[in-house]
Every structure is written in structure tokens, then in C-alpha cells.
Amino acid sequence: MIKFIEPYFIIETKSLSYAIKILETGHLEHLYFGDKILETDLDFLHTKLSAKARGVIDYLEEKGKDIPLDLICLEFSSSGKGDFKLSPIELKMPDQSFVSDFTYQKHEMIEGILPSDTLPTPYDDEKNTKTLIITLKDTKFNIYIDLIYTTYYDVNIISRKTIIRNNEKETISLRKIMSMSFDIYGSNYDMLTLDGGAIKEAQKHITPIAQGTYINSSITGNSSYKHNPGVILLEKGTHEDFGNCYGFNLIYSGNHYTAIDQSSHGILRVMQGINPSMFEWDLNTNTSFETPTTVLSFSSKGLNDLSHHMHDFINKHIIPRQFKGVDRPIVINSWEGFYFDFNEKKLINLAKKAKSLGIELFVLDDGWFSSRNNDLSGLGDYDVNFKKLKHGLRGLSHKIHQMGMKFGLWFEPEMINPVSKLYEKHPEYAIKIEGRIPALGRHQLVLDMINPLVRKYIINEISKIIDDTNLDYIKWDMNRDMTDMYSKHIPNQGMFYHSYILGLYDVLSQLRKKYPHILIETCASGGNRFDLGMLTYGPQIWTSDNTDPIARLSIQKGISYFYPQSCISNHVSMSPHEQTLRKTPIDTRFNVSMFGVLGYELDFKLLNTFEINSIKKHIEIYKSYRHILQFGQFYRFNEDPKVRMNFQVSFEDTHVLGNYQVLAEPNPNLEILKIKNLNPTKIYDLKSMEQKLPLEKFGHLISHALPIKLNPNKALFRLISRFKQLDNATEEAHISGNVGMKGYKMQQQFMGTYYNEQTRMLGDFGSQIYIIKESR
Ligand code: DGJ
């Protein structure tokens, strides 16, 4: 899996190779990252230079031995020696210069993964990983860099991280150090990023790369919904099922940075790591600094295949092992149903109804503590609000457990309201700067996670509640970005952001160790911290506060480029939707939420009988396909997302396909349903899930379908519609894998003429689920 054939290193996964060459000067040349290669290829992969290039500096100007670093694809460059591509490192050296020159010194190979004491690290239960450590040394000073490569053979992932050691007598200032960097030839690439904001997370953007530097980063103190840390570099023309693409993601929850730099000779350098902005680490004598781990993959088969590598890696090596491959429960969360306005009775009624519908986990969201009747106060306090919960949390959890449901609770542990008991007692726990009025976000400040007393306080308070309630689940929320960054507990404020994240990881690791069975779902105003770092502590993340199924299609699609369905938490909520005012059918709300971890976030009392019956049926369906929906292989399609979208999951011989009509077209085209990943030689049974159509969908048109005339604005219409629904067309067919993959001809959609039971009635926001199973 890792070979050293002097002067070459080859790191291999099941279908990928990554090759490096030690140059005569000791610099490392990046030779290759792509589909598997032969050993004989190695001699031909290096940069072939035959004459001096104009305007280029030679590192070594011996006759016949010119080494122009700027023209070579490097594996990890230094600064100030003639490579003018963006450097992955910035150090103030003992001689006060910024010039560094790291060259090969030695290497070592070990079984497994190099552990870390402070940073989240993948694990390997199958003993399928190997690690290569290449040590570089600065040519002048005793400063060392370890480049660490781990191959995750089966899942086609290579991870990288960097450790820098200072063995000089002086402290040096580390201003930038990337977890990885490498160069490829390429002037034909685009960059795919997931950008957005609150309630519009993970919107896919494609940026063409030309000469210059392109950056995807966050500076909010978290990994941020403005720019997710995952980045794909794709050759022009690549789509979901075709083309060359490289994927990068960082196992980190703080300020991240990915740069793609295209040089004047068409070399593309890509690097990923901690954001160097406002970063300055004092590297004292005989100490080291370890970067977070970055995750790399490649596919020559397009974006779906690349995502499968990322998904398999997360399911097998990232999420806490207690939850590996374990089906996640269906949730009822109290937030959108009640917000802060609840009492024990309301909660119990909600739980009872949820239980009767088949829901398995009851989660009490924000508002159960202190003076928290709105978002003005209470964060930081953990005393239960007995006015709302007359038997306390223990009484509530006991009742929920007695019903046969699991009990979960919301916390926002990293935050404090200036109006809180904690702030009265310990104002110094909050992050702020003397002499400045701190900026507030949602009326709250951030707790100084660098302060060991703050960490101890959080762990103690949460532990008491876990013990008291026998808690099964935690929703770990975080609702504001950082400002006024300052902590007394570090010698240099350039260490602030990273030290905060180390503090957070410390708290999460301690709680995980103490309560390994607790299912943690992390959240940050929706998806403001959707990253691999958080996934090592909690296997699922609240994707977005936007639960409108149509808005959610692009959010879930975006997130799926890097993260599997088992991590994506989706809730069905009310219609019209609170953030978009869009009215959507209950079926579509489910049909979108089912592609991930399903939950409900509404007050069932506000639903009509038709919706309640639909939910009951949906939950039965979800349960029978849950494992496939959470752990199956997910496929995206190359469709026009303004008109129609499709999602598919495949697991063994079963495929579940969602077909979503975003907007209805008048007199539409006849359509096909393309199914992916079928065996061309097999026969499949295709069936669409039954759907009832509420009469309201048709308004006055209903008179054409029913034998009696009804006024849609009158009580009689409403009464009848409670009991009577029309049937939507269901489709059933036996098809070969080949036909399914080319496209099954669907039944006609409503064309503005007549309704009958064979007509698919979708309209705006309509959708259908297809189950495709191998015929027995
Ligand atoms: C933001 C989260 O995204 C919501 O789901 C909810 O938990 C609120 N915070 C509670 O304040």
C-alpha cells in the first residue's frame, strides 16, 4: 500500500496511486495523484525540462542541473528560494527572515494511523491503513517538518497532515502552515465550493480557475455555512458521472482555508489547512505544532464516485464507532412546534402523538432552563425552569422513557447571555476585550473555551443533567460567530482561534469518553459548522433551519458532495413554510427528508387527518427502507435544478429514487426516469409509492373530477376533503437494468386536460418515490 523505490514513494489505495519523487536537491516533487499506475510509469511522471525558461530563478545553477522550483510540481514548498507559487508555509525564522528551505531528511512507514492528543483523527477498525512519515529539514536551521500520509485502502482516501518541530534555541513565529499542498499541471480546471449562509447552506458554486489565487475559507471562528471546508477541483466537462475530479476536506471545525493557485506556467497548486488570517503560533524551543488532518480523493468517473469515496470514509473512519452502521432513530423535536412556549403537558401530548405515529426519539429543544422564555437571556445556566416543567427534566424524561421513547435535550454549551446567573458570577468567562463593547449575536457572547475553568464548568453541568435524566441524545447547538477575540489564557492572540477549537474538542472528547452511548447531533444555527471535525464527536448534523422541501433540495444536494446521508439530519415541518412561505404537499416534505436521518418538527395538533395519516404511512415506509436511506450509496443527477431534481440511494439489490418536480410546466414533455447503478443483465421490479391527493390541490377543478359540484371556499368542501382524497397514479413495471439506466418511460403527467387514475398529478412541488428492486 505504501512503497519506497528510491527515489520514489508510491502511496496506494484500492484504485488510486499517489507518487512523490525525492529530487537531487532533496526537494519533493509531486509526480502523480490519480487512477492506479504501474511502477514503470514512475520514470516518466517527472517534469521534463530541457532548456532554461525566461524569468525563472534557478535553485541550483550547476551546468545541466538547473532546478527551477517555480517550474516543478512540488509536494510541499518553502518560501523565498525561487518558487513563486503560493507557499504552504510562512515562518519567521531565527534569523528574522521569512526564508525557509525544507528538504528530505528521512522517512518512516508505520502500520495504522498516527494518533493525535488534541485533534480529531480518523480510526481504523479493519486494520486497513498504513502511514508514511517523510521528514524534511530546513537547510540552515534545526527546524523540521513531518509530512504525514495515511492510506485508507478500501475507501480510496489518502489523508495528510503536517507536524512542524522547532529544535532551535529561539521561539519562532509560525504564521501559516498547511495540512497539505501539492502541484499538478492544469489550466483546464474549475473549483466546486459549497457556499451560502443561514437557511441557504451548501449552495454549489463552480468557479473557473485562471492564472491567480482562488480561496475558499472561513473567518467566523467555525467552519461556517458561508463556505464549507470541502472543495473539489474538477476538469472542465466533469459532471456527476463523468470526468476527473479531486476532492479535499479538512477534519477541522474552525477557520479553514483552501487555496488553488495557478502559476504563470499553468501549474496548479492546491493547499488546505487552518486559515492563516489572524493566525500566529509561538513555536517555542523543542515544541511542535500539529495541523488538522486533510482528506484527499480522486475520481476519473465523475462527482458521484468521488462523493462515494468521501461517504465511505466518513461512515467507516470518522463518525464515533458506537454509531458505525447503526440505524438512527426518527425524531420529534419541539423547536418549530413550540419554540419557547411549552410546558410539561404540551410536551407529553406531543410525545404521545409522536409515539403513536411511530416516532422513536423525543427531543426537547431550547427553552428548558433558567429564565429562557426568549433568546434574550439564560444561556450559560443549567437550572431547570420548573414553571414550565413542573416535575423537572427528570420527571419529563421518566415519562418519555416510560412511553418507550428515547429522550434527548438541546444545549448550547459554548455560549453565555450577559443576562444570566453565570455572567453575574463569572463575567470573565465570556470572550471580550477590556475597553471595547463586545459585539452581540442573538443577544449572546461566546464562552472562552481556552479557559480550563470554563471547560470544567460545561462538562460538570452537562454531566449532571445527563445523569439526572438518563439522556439518550444531545443536540449541541452554537448560534453565533466569533468577534472580540481575546483570551487571557494564551501568550499570543494569534493563537486564539485554534486554541478555542482545541478547547471545544477537549470538552467534546471528555463527554464522549464519559458517555459513549449518547447520540450527539451537532448544529450551529442550522449548518454553520457542518464539518468532519464535528462528525468525529456526533455522527449527525442539523443541516439547516430551512426545512422547506424545495429549498432543501439544493441544500441536501450540496451537502451530499462531501457528507453521507447518515450524517444529514432532515425534519418535516409545517406548510406554508416559515422561512419561504411556500405551500408544499406533506408527501414532498417527507420525500425530501427521507434521504437522510428523518425527523419531525411541528405540532401535530395543527395538522389535518389527511396529513396525520400520511405521516403514519411515511414513517412505516421510512422504517422499512431506513438502512438503505441512511447508509446506501447516494447518487445525484445532471438535471436542471430549476425544473426537476432526482435523488437516488442504492443498497445491494434495492434502489430508492426521489423524483421532484420543482415547477410544473404547461403541457409538459413526456418524461423518462433514469435509474443509476443497475445491473444491465438483471430484471427489476419498479414501483412508485402510493399517494393520495387532497382535494385542495385542485380547488374549483375538483368539480370536473367528482360527480357533485363543490365550492372550494365552503365548509362542505372542507368537510368532504377530510375524508375523500383522489388517487395519484402509481407506476409498476418489470424492466431490465439496461432500460432502467437508459431511462424508463414514465406515465404521462397532467397536461392541463383531464385527470384519471393513470395520470401523474404533480403540479408545482409535487414528487414521487420509486422503489426499484431486483426481481426474484
Ligand atoms: C438554532 C437551531 O438551528 C434550531 O434548530 C434551534 O435549536 C434553535 N437554535 C434554538 O435556539
Side-chain angles (χ1 to χ4, degrees):
M1 287 197 296
I2 300 181
K3 290 182 215 154
F4 180 56
I5 308 164
E6 204 171 350
Y8 301 111
F9 294 102
I10 316 174
I11 304 162
E12 286 179 339
T13 68
K14 193 160 69 184
S15 39
L16 303 177
S17 299
Y18 188 108
I20 305 163
K21 179 181 181 185
I22 308 171
L23 295 176
E24 242 177 285
T25 52
H27 297 100
L28 298 183
E29 179 178 359
H30 178 84
L31 291 185
Y32 181 83
F33 183 24
D35 285 337
K36 269 245 165 88
I37 52 168
L38 303 173
E39 277 173 28
T40 48
D41 289 327
L42 290 169
D43 293 336
F44 305 98
L45 286 169
H46 60 267
T47 306
K48 296 169 194 82
L49 300 170
S50 52
K52 268 195 189 307
R54 251 190 131 89
V56 170
I57 304 282
D58 276 322
Y59 177 82
L60 190 70
E61 216 176 13
E62 276 174 39
K63 258 216 151 91
K65 265 200 198 169
D66 305 345
I67 307 250
L69 293 176
D70 207 35
L71 289 188
I72 295 174
C73 289
L74 293 169
E75 185 61 14
F76 201 87
S77 186
S78 311
S79 304
K81 294 299 290 177
D83 170 20
F84 296 102
K85 299 182 271 328
L86 190 69
S87 179
I89 186 160
E90 194 176 302
L91 278 169
K92 191 132 195 229
M93 300 296 270
D95 60 7
Q96 298 302 297
S97 80
F98 285 94
V99 177
S100 60
D101 186 18
F102 288 95
T103 55
Y104 173 83
Q105 211 204 16
K106 60 174 182 164
H107 73 269
E108 187 190 345
M109 289 180 209
I110 57 170
E111 293 293 321
I113 301 165
L114 194 71
S116 166
D117 291 337
T118 50
L119 284 162
T121 306
Y123 58 88
D124 172 22
D125 285 338
E126 279 103 41
K127 305 266 170 285
N128 233 328
T129 55
K130 279 205 163 58
T131 296
L132 165 69
I133 305 167
I134 305 178
T135 302
L136 310 177
K137 182 189 170 299
D138 179 65
T139 47
K140 179 172 174 191
F141 292 108
N142 288 314
I143 299 170
Y144 299 85
I145 286 181
D146 289 337
L147 302 180
I148 295 149
Y149 301 81
T150 302
T151 159
Y152 302 79
Y153 192 83
D154 284 350
V155 294
N156 286 316
I157 292 285
I158 292 169
S159 76
R160 284 188 58 180
K161 67 176 175 181
T162 312
I163 297 178
I164 178 163
R165 272 189 316 281
N166 175 18
N167 290 356
E168 286 292 325
K169 286 193 198 73
E170 299 86 347
T171 295
I172 57 171
S173 160
L174 176 63
R175 297 176 174 198
K176 175 182 186 184
I177 176 123
M178 292 290 106
S179 302
M180 71 90 181
S181 158
F182 70 89
D183 302 350
I184 56 169
Y185 284 10
S187 45
N188 189 29
Y189 280 87
D190 292 332
M191 167 167 139
L192 184 157
T193 51
L194 304 177
D195 311 303
I199 66 170
K200 50 176 185 179
E201 289 86 344
Q203 303 300 309
K204 169 178 132 184
H205 284 142
I206 304 271
T207 310
I209 304 286
Q211 186 181 342
T213 307
Y214 296 77
I215 289 168
N216 179 66
S217 69
S218 78
I219 197 63
T220 46
N222 48 36
S223 48
S224 183
Y225 40 38
K226 297 188 201 304
H227 307 285
N228 191 276
V231 172
I232 296 173
L233 187 60
L234 59 157
E235 230 172 68
K236 286 194 195 302
T238 297
H239 59 65
E240 297 297 351
D241 304 305
F242 169 86
N244 290 322
C245 43
Y246 300 85
F248 313 102
N249 203 356
L250 195 63
I251 308 181
Y252 194 56
S253 313
N255 291 341
H256 61 85
Y257 177 88
T258 305
I260 295 175
D261 185 48
Q262 187 183 307
S263 80
S264 57
H265 288 92
I267 291 182
L268 266 188
R269 171 164 295 168
V270 49
M271 61 181 72
Q272 188 169 59
I274 295 176
N275 194 339
S277 176
M278 290 183 263
F279 175 84
E280 189 182 34
W281 200 267
D282 292 341
L283 201 57
N284 297 327
T285 180
N286 293 328
T287 62
S288 60
F289 180 86
E290 177 189 357
T291 70
T293 300
T294 184
V295 173
L296 286 69
S297 194
F298 170 86
S299 175
S300 58
K301 300 188 200 79
L303 297 164
N304 273 320
D305 189 53
L306 184 73
S307 298
H308 296 159
H309 300 172
M310 295 286 177
H311 293 185
D312 292 346
F313 171 71
I314 293 172
N315 279 329
K316 284 193 176 159
H317 298 280
I318 287 286
I319 61 151
R321 22 166 84 80
Q322 294 79 1
F323 299 98
K324 205 165 125 179
V326 176
D327 288 359
R328 310 289 161 65
I330 305 171
V331 173
I332 172 71
N333 177 298
S334 65
W335 181 240
E336 284 195 21
F338 300 145
Y339 293 109
F340 296 103
D341 182 19
F342 58 81
N343 53 37
E344 189 188 274
K345 195 167 163 215
K346 273 181 160 180
L347 297 177
I348 294 293
N349 284 340
L350 182 72
K352 275 189 186 151
K353 189 70 202 173
K355 172 75 186 164
S356 75
L357 294 170
I359 292 176
E360 300 148 327
L361 165 63
F362 177 87
V363 177
L364 173 54
D365 209 280
D366 197 353
W368 54 264
F369 50 93
S370 190
S371 56
R372 193 130 172 111
N373 293 317
N374 48 46
D375 58 14
L376 296 171
S377 65
L379 288 177
D381 299 338
Y382 288 80
D383 53 315
V384 176
N385 184 331
F386 278 92
K387 276 196 202 134
K388 290 185 189 175
L389 302 173
K390 60 180 176 185
H391 299 101
L393 279 177
R394 188 196 293 190
L396 179 67
S397 82
H398 181 68
K399 285 188 183 150
I400 301 288
H401 282 139
Q402 265 190 332
M403 282 182 213
M405 291 179 95
K406 289 180 188 294
F407 181 63
L409 211 49
W410 177 96
F411 296 90
E412 198 176 351
E414 298 154 74
M415 296 291 156
I416 180 164
N417 282 118
V419 185
S420 65
K421 294 171 199 103
L422 182 66
Y423 196 84
E424 271 168 33
K425 225 169 134 191
H426 288 294
E428 78 284 5
Y429 279 10
I431 291 171
K432 54 189 179 338
I433 299 181
E434 236 169 270
R436 290 187 191 279
I437 299 172
L440 292 173
R442 209 192 183 200
H443 318 287
Q444 63 200 53
L445 294 170
V446 185
L447 281 170
D448 181 3
M449 301 294 280
I450 307 168
N451 180 350
L453 293 177
V454 169
R455 302 207 293 272
K456 198 168 158 202
Y457 172 77
I458 294 172
I459 292 170
N460 283 346
E461 293 303 315
I462 294 184
S463 299
K464 275 191 245 161
I465 296 203
I466 294 176
D467 296 339
D468 194 40
T469 56
N470 231 337
L471 204 60
D472 303 295
Y473 160 109
I474 287 175
K475 179 170 171 188
W476 186 291
D477 203 351
M478 195 270 194
N479 284 311
R480 64 155 291 181
D481 295 337
M482 274 176 217
T483 59
D484 303 279
M485 304 77 69
Y486 186 86
S487 170
K488 287 197 182 102
H489 302 270
I490 37 175
N492 174 348
Q493 295 308 311
M495 300 164 92
F496 176 86
Y497 283 118
H498 184 57
S499 304
Y500 178 94
I501 293 296
L502 294 180
L504 167 67
Y505 287 158
D506 174 46
V507 171
L508 284 163
S509 327
Q510 289 198 48
L511 285 169
R512 271 234 66 78
K513 228 189 207 161
K514 218 167 150 187
Y515 304 104
H517 67 282
I518 291 193
L519 172 63
I520 299 180
E521 174 163 335
T522 64
C523 165
S525 311
N528 204 13
R529 207 163 52 181
F530 206 121
D531 62 65
L532 294 177
M534 294 314 283
L535 283 174
T536 63
Y537 302 101
Q540 58 195 58
I541 301 182
W542 180 228
T543 319
S544 174
D545 275 355
N546 191 344
T547 45
D548 172 328
I550 299 305
R552 194 88 178 182
L553 284 170
S554 62
I555 296 174
Q556 287 176 214
K557 179 174 178 171
I559 279 293
S560 80
Y561 280 96
F562 292 95
Y563 308 94
Q565 307 320 106
S566 63
C567 302
I568 306 177
S569 171
N570 303 322
H571 293 178
V572 171
S573 64
M574 291 300 286
S575 168
H577 192 260
E578 293 188 3
Q579 274 115 24
T580 58
L581 302 180
R582 193 172 2 238
K583 247 179 131 177
T584 52
I586 188 75
D587 283 318
T588 294
R589 282 176 266 158
F590 168 71
N591 293 348
V592 175
S593 298
M594 73 192 288
F595 284 86
V597 179
L598 178 68
Y600 289 80
E601 197 163 326
L602 39 74
D603 184 356
F604 297 111
K605 276 210 326 248
L606 303 179
L607 301 181
N608 60 35
T609 326
F610 165 68
E611 287 174 311
I612 291 285
N613 291 341
S614 303
I615 290 179
K616 197 163 180 161
K617 242 189 289 145
H618 294 156
I619 288 175
E620 273 166 27
I621 292 163
Y622 186 76
K623 283 182 177 168
S624 50
Y625 293 101
R626 172 175 8 209
H627 198 71
I628 301 174
L629 291 163
Q630 295 182 356
F631 294 96
Q633 211 159 49
F634 184 74
Y635 290 88
R636 295 173 300 266
F637 291 71
N638 300 301
E639 69 280 87
D640 174 0
K642 288 195 188 75
V643 179
R644 175 174 154 184
M645 276 179 72
N646 291 101
F647 290 161
Q648 183 184 326
V649 282
S650 294
F651 192 85
E652 294 169 357
D653 60 355
T654 308
H655 311 267
V656 181
L657 207 150
N659 179 44
Y660 310 99
Q661 175 146 293
V662 175
L663 285 180
E665 291 188 318
N667 209 357
N669 288 347
L670 297 164
E671 293 166 292
I672 53 166
L673 185 73
K674 276 194 177 229
I675 307 155
K676 300 201 181 188
N677 194 32
L678 300 183
N679 183 334
T681 62
K682 297 258 159 87
I683 302 294
Y684 292 86
D685 298 329
L686 173 147
K687 194 172 183 334
S688 66
M689 255 162 52
E690 273 173 30
Q691 269 184 4
K692 293 278 177 207
L693 298 165
L695 299 189
E696 296 92 81
K697 188 169 176 105
F698 304 98
H700 75 279
L701 293 173
I702 206 64
S703 307
H704 303 301
L706 291 183
I708 47 168
K709 300 276 169 256
L710 282 175
N711 182 338
N713 297 317
K714 292 281 160 61
L716 182 61
F717 180 91
R718 286 193 288 276
L719 184 72
I720 294 178
S721 69
R722 273 214 239 152
F723 305 101
K724 169 86 188 156
Q725 287 92 33
L726 301 182
D727 287 316
N728 203 350
T730 44
E731 309 203 41
E732 265 191 85
H734 291 290
I735 52 167
S736 72
N738 264 336
V739 164
M741 289 196 286
K742 182 148 186 300
Y744 160 75
K745 287 178 182 157
M746 295 160 99
Q747 237 148 249
Q748 184 193 330
Q749 194 181 154
F750 182 61
M751 288 189 164
T753 52
Y754 300 104
Y755 156 82
N756 65 42
E757 282 165 14
Q758 276 84 51
T759 314
R760 288 186 303 123
M761 304 295 285
L762 293 176
D764 286 351
F765 323 131
S767 62
Q768 266 177 321
I769 296 297
Y770 292 80
I771 312 286
I772 303 106
K773 266 192 185 168
E774 212 181 289
S775 259
R776 298 258 159 243

